[in-house]
Amino acid sequence: KPPFILGQAVEEFKELMQAPDDPTEMADLFGVLIHYCIKQGWTRELIESYLSQKLDLRFTKEKQ
């Protein structure tokens, strides 16, 4: 269920914090978050569009 998956994400994030240079820990976290999206019924296209918007704001748009 979604609350359990979010708990898993928290644990994976803690592992990433303990090993910040380990890309496998980032992959574990992404995997759990993708699982959460699937359980929520969010399509890949929806998440990709929001992610693209967020990345544009963070990395390509001038900050006001």
Side-chain angles (χ1 to χ4, degrees):
K1 296 191 176 202
F4 176 77
I5 298 168
L6 289 176
Q8 287 181 308
V10 169
E11 293 305 313
E12 292 297 346
F13 188 76
K14 288 177 185 177
E15 290 180 17
L16 178 62
M17 289 177 66
Q18 292 172 353
D21 297 322
D22 185 347
T24 63
E25 294 300 343
M26 180 60 77
D28 289 344
L29 178 56
F30 278 152
V32 172
L33 294 174
I34 290 168
H35 184 198
Y36 181 79
C37 292
I38 291 167
K39 287 292 188 179
Q40 291 296 92
W42 301 334
T43 66
R44 185 178 73 202
E45 292 80 14
L46 177 69
I47 296 304
E48 285 176 357
S49 70
Y50 286 135
L51 179 57
S52 179
Q53 291 173 27
K54 295 290 185 174
L55 291 173
D56 282 348
L57 288 172
R58 183 170 295 249
F59 295 110
T60 61
K61 306 284 188 211
E62 287 188 37
K63 293 189 177 182
Q64 302 285 334

